[in-house]
Amino acid sequence: MKVRILVSYKKSILDPQGQTVKNALLTMGYNFIQDVRQGKVFELELEGISQEEARKVIPEISDKALANPIIEKFSWEIIE
Amino acid sequence: MKVRILVSYKKSILDPQGQTVKNALLTMGYNFIQDVRQGKVFELELEGISQEEARKVIPEISDKALANPIIEKFSWEIIE
């Protein structure tokens, strides 16, 4: 089974990387860009675990090891 | 319109960040983890552009500014 976990800053948190990318794209002439937010993506290959178990353990892993719950949020999905 | 662009290393490229995360998760006892790959996610808010135009320009932006096509690949979707 393969799961994809997206980790990004909460809305209230400034995102200087995203801001820098936005400014670069505007400088390049892409003036339809309103906002850019940058985050991380993790793709985990799992074996020997049911979808039901994954639904319990993936949020736990995300919270403990992949995201900082004070400033980041995560979402995830099974992709394979 | 909102688009999400995922950028990750090509399969043939070593991913030391993903490897480190994998090792950390194994140490924490999550021994069903076979592999971890880490990448970047960009969420772009666009205005004044049609879906058709977006389909042309988003791959261009990804290739020029968000991914390094020599070692990275990207995928993208319209999410809003």
Side-chain angles (χ1 to χ4, degrees):
Chain A
M1 187 183 353
K2 210 168 177 179
V3 303
R4 176 181 291 149
I5 302 161
L6 299 177
V7 177
S8 57
Y9 286 124
K10 291 180 181 173
K11 271 216 174 127
S12 57
I13 305 291
L14 286 175
D15 174 8
Q17 283 185 301
Q19 202 57 39
T20 302
V21 171
K22 178 188 167 183
N23 293 339
L25 294 177
L26 291 176
T27 304
M28 290 165 82
Y30 299 112
N31 48 22
F32 50 82
I33 307 277
Q34 291 298 301
D35 196 27
V36 177
R37 304 284 288 179
Q38 185 171 344
K40 289 172 283 185
V41 55
F42 298 90
E43 289 187 358
L44 274 58
E45 181 82 45
L46 313 179
E47 211 174 271
I49 181 174
S50 68
Q51 289 212 1
E52 202 182 339
E53 289 169 313
R55 267 179 246 284
K56 272 192 201 162
V57 87
I58 295 300
E60 186 186 303
I61 284 178
S62 302
D63 232 20
K64 272 204 218 167
L66 304 182
N68 172 352
I70 296 173
I71 55 166
E72 292 173 323
K73 59 186 169 58
F74 68 88
S75 63
W76 70 279
E77 58 180 336
I78 295 171
I79 55 172
E80 254 176 49
Chain B
M1 187 184 350
K2 210 168 176 178
V3 303
R4 177 182 291 149
I5 302 160
L6 299 177
V7 177
S8 57
Y9 286 124
K10 291 180 181 174
K11 270 214 174 129
S12 58
I13 305 291
L14 285 176
D15 174 9
Q17 282 185 301
Q19 202 55 40
T20 302
V21 171
K22 178 188 167 185
N23 292 340
L25 293 177
L26 291 176
T27 305
M28 292 166 81
Y30 298 112
N31 48 23
F32 51 82
I33 307 277
Q34 290 299 301
D35 195 28
V36 177
R37 302 284 289 180
Q38 184 172 342
K40 290 174 283 185
V41 54
F42 298 90
E43 288 187 358
L44 273 59
E45 182 81 46
L46 313 179
E47 213 175 90
I49 181 174
S50 68
Q51 289 212 2
E52 201 182 339
E53 288 169 312
R55 268 180 246 284
K56 271 193 202 162
V57 86
I58 294 299
E60 186 186 303
I61 285 178
S62 302
D63 232 19
K64 272 204 218 167
L66 304 181
N68 172 352
I70 297 172
I71 56 167
E72 292 173 324
K73 58 186 170 59
F74 68 87
S75 63
W76 70 280
E77 56 179 338
I78 295 172
I79 55 173
E80 251 175 50

